[in-house]
Amino acid sequence: MPTVAAFERDLASMTEHERAELLAVARRVASHEFDLLGSGPTALGPSIDWALDFKSGRRWPLEHISRLPMVFPDHSDIKVPWELSRFQHLPVLAAAYRLTDDRSWLDEIGAQLSDWIAKNPVEFGPNWACTMDVAIRAANWVATLALVADAASAESWFEPTVGSLLLHGRFVRTHLEWAPARGNHYLSDVVGLLCVAALFGEGREGRSWAEWAAAELVAEMHHQVRDDGCDHEASIPYHRLVTELFVCGL
């Protein structure tokens, strides 16, 4: 993962101010304080409720995704638990461990991963309802493990996490958001599967994921990018997103 390797290199050359800023963010993450989708800094307590829209108080049930209501007649938003369960904060904890060699950061990574896996069985609850979010979560888990692999491989939570990533890959491959007119969701599925495939490339299943996703990535360039070079969803933020996905995927 070249983007992760570049981040890793940057850690070694950080100024004291940059180190302090990163560690301040990591401390907030470790104390379960998040600022998501306009919520403002919010403390989620010692045990994170991964199914909760903490802005509205709405909690999604642990129903199979085929029966799960996506929208309620109130101000709740399923994207709040989705955003939290993307784990975009987790590589920050890995970076904090790399900067300090303090195993409390490693313990927090393991605690969050173990808690999430225990509370979110595959195909049940809001955090399996959108394949794009499954793919993003898997990519962030892989990035985190790549940063702390030597230390994490000896931890009791490491093998269950890798096992869950295998299930994430299988889920993405069998729940693709394909449609005749498709966009950033489907592209996220493809790129996320490439990240997971990297872990399992020595096996037939992982190789088949990688080969399929690599070919599909090229095909999506022709489908999603217009002749003028713009993303066909005609949105500047989505143009940036798909550009990053194509670059990282390649």
Side-chain angles (χ1 to χ4, degrees):
M1 300 178 73
T3 53
V4 178
F7 180 49
E8 184 177 35
R9 289 192 298 271
D10 288 343
L11 293 176
S13 59
M14 275 186 166
T15 66
E16 285 302 314
H17 177 69
E18 289 169 335
R19 285 171 57 95
E21 281 191 328
L22 187 147
L23 292 173
V25 174
R27 282 192 289 272
R28 290 195 292 272
V29 169
S31 66
H32 303 164
E33 180 185 297
F34 295 94
D35 184 355
L36 301 176
L37 303 180
S39 68
T42 305
L44 302 187
S47 179
I48 296 174
D49 189 338
W50 303 101
L52 178 70
D53 169 7
F54 58 81
K55 292 171 65 177
S56 69
R58 165 72 64 181
R59 179 179 292 103
W60 268 259
L62 197 64
E63 292 280 353
H64 189 268
I65 54 175
S66 62
R67 301 188 299 271
L68 189 75
M70 300 284 281
V71 178
F72 288 94
D74 55 22
H75 296 294
S76 61
D77 188 352
I78 198 171
K79 290 183 180 179
V80 176
W82 283 359
E83 186 69 26
L84 182 61
S85 286
R86 286 179 172 188
F87 277 87
Q88 302 194 105
H89 59 273
L90 208 64
V92 178
L93 296 179
Y97 174 74
R98 291 293 299 270
L99 287 175
T100 66
D101 207 30
D102 181 346
R103 69 163 294 114
S104 65
W105 301 114
L106 196 66
D107 292 340
E108 179 62 21
I109 293 170
Q112 288 198 28
L113 288 169
S114 299
D115 188 60
W116 192 95
I117 292 168
K119 293 177 179 176
N120 293 272
V122 179
E123 292 193 354
F124 283 82
N127 297 312
W128 294 96
C130 175
T131 306
M132 177 183 190
D133 290 278
V134 177
I136 292 173
R137 175 169 60 251
N140 282 313
W141 285 14
V142 171
T144 301
L145 295 185
L147 287 166
V148 297
D150 291 342
S153 60
E155 300 297 316
S156 61
W157 51 265
F158 183 80
E159 187 173 337
T161 300
V162 174
S164 182
L165 279 167
L166 179 65
L167 298 181
H168 275 66
R170 289 173 176 170
F171 182 94
V172 172
R173 186 65 181 90
T174 56
H175 294 76
L176 294 166
E177 296 169 281
W178 189 93
R182 56 199 175 274
N184 65 88
H185 274 246
Y186 183 68
L187 183 58
S188 296
D189 302 345
V190 171
V191 176
L193 188 61
L194 272 174
C195 294
V196 179
L199 284 184
F200 303 103
E202 293 299 314
R204 183 173 59 184
E205 189 171 19
R207 285 197 304 274
S208 70
W209 290 346
E211 291 166 1
W212 175 85
E216 200 68 5
L217 184 69
V218 175
E220 286 308 295
M221 283 189 176
H222 295 286
H223 176 77
Q224 297 196 27
V225 181
R226 302 186 314 198
D227 290 341
D228 63 2
C230 291
D231 168 45
H232 71 170
E233 291 187 78
S235 157
I236 291 174
Y238 280 160
H239 180 83
R240 174 175 175 167
L241 171 62
V242 299
T243 300
E244 291 176 348
L245 286 166
F246 280 129
V247 171
C248 292
L250 282 170

